[in-house]
Amino acid sequence: ISLILLSIALVATFSRGAWLALLSGGLVYLLMFLWKERTKICSYRIFWLFILLAATTIGLIGFVVRDHILVRFEGGTRLERKSLDERTQGLRSGWEVFKSHPFLGSGPGTMHLAIAQRSPDLRVPPVPPHQVLVMMVGEIGVIGSMSIIGFLWLIWCTRDRSKDGGRTILIAGLGGLFIVLFGVDHFLWSLFAGKTLLMILALAVF
């Protein structure tokens, strides 16, 4: 039931980034699974049942709301042009914030404020860059970003290597998923829900 509900929710987001992230992460996970378990793949009937159930649910719901899905891939509509313009402007603004504070950044959680201060004539809330890397270097700079990467690398190097079998597959799948999400949205860095999700997954992996 949970898998069905999650599959329906994924389609109902109408988010191209979420669809692409699931596709990339799922493909990497599947390839790693087939490679690691190629000698006993027939014994994993539940795994294949879950894949079939999710794919069937997504396909059925996607067919029902196909008109709403197809419009997300038509770049000529008014809302799609507006979305593209806002994302482009957000990346430009984030890059300008980074160039103003390249080493230490503008401060954690201050991207919106930094953009607003650079554009005092804005009459609407500023649009942040829809990319985690730009958000990260803009808010904590090169020094802060390298510190986080170094800390994560230290945790990885001191992991319990006896559990690397199944964990390698999980990390590969999550890596494929998050690489896409990092590149098309900012919620994993800027919103509490995204940070909580990352923390839960990190605890589950390590």
Side-chain angles (χ1 to χ4, degrees):
I1 295 177
S2 299
L3 183 62
I4 293 176
L5 292 176
L6 288 172
S7 300
I8 294 174
L10 177 69
V11 177
T13 62
F14 297 108
S15 169
R16 291 165 297 188
W19 300 336
L20 184 59
L22 176 69
L23 181 62
S24 62
L27 181 60
V28 172
Y29 185 91
L30 179 61
L31 292 176
M32 288 293 295
F33 183 88
L34 291 173
W35 177 69
K36 298 287 285 188
E37 310 293 342
R38 57 188 181 276
T39 59
K40 48 183 179 181
I41 198 67
C42 293
S43 63
Y44 287 83
R45 295 176 181 175
I46 295 180
F47 174 81
W48 294 109
L49 178 61
F50 282 171
I51 289 182
L52 179 61
L53 182 61
T56 302
T57 303
I58 292 173
L60 289 175
I61 300 300
F63 179 77
V64 172
V65 297
R66 59 188 180 279
D67 292 337
H68 299 285
I69 292 177
L70 291 175
V71 76
R72 297 293 286 142
F73 297 95
E74 296 177 3
T77 62
R78 180 182 65 85
L79 290 178
E80 291 303 316
R81 289 198 302 270
K82 183 175 183 293
S83 174
L84 182 60
D85 291 342
E86 288 180 346
R87 286 173 177 265
T88 303
Q89 183 57 45
L91 288 174
R92 290 174 180 169
S93 300
W95 182 247
E96 291 299 322
V97 171
F98 167 69
K99 290 195 297 183
S100 299
H101 312 277
F103 297 108
L104 297 177
S106 62
T110 62
M111 179 61 74
H112 289 77
L113 178 60
I115 294 177
Q117 289 176 341
R118 296 182 61 85
S119 305
D121 296 331
L122 277 178
R123 297 183 178 181
V124 295
V127 178
H130 279 63
Q131 198 176 81
V132 168
L133 181 60
V134 178
M135 288 284 291
M136 183 169 69
V137 297
E139 291 187 354
I140 62 176
V142 174
I143 295 177
S145 301
M146 295 303 295
S147 298
I148 290 179
I149 294 173
F151 177 70
L152 294 176
W153 178 252
L154 178 63
I155 293 177
W156 175 252
C157 291
T158 56
R159 71 191 186 281
D160 183 1
R161 299 177 185 273
S162 64
K163 301 179 181 179
D164 273 1
R167 187 164 55 183
T168 301
I169 302 176
L170 177 61
I171 291 176
L174 291 176
L177 188 151
F178 283 117
I179 285 175
V180 174
L181 285 181
F182 285 169
V184 299
D185 214 322
H186 60 83
F187 79 97
L188 290 170
W189 176 266
S190 60
L191 300 182
F192 176 78
K195 296 175 184 177
T196 302
L197 177 61
L198 277 180
M199 182 62 67
I200 292 174
L201 292 175
L203 291 174
V205 169
F206 295 104

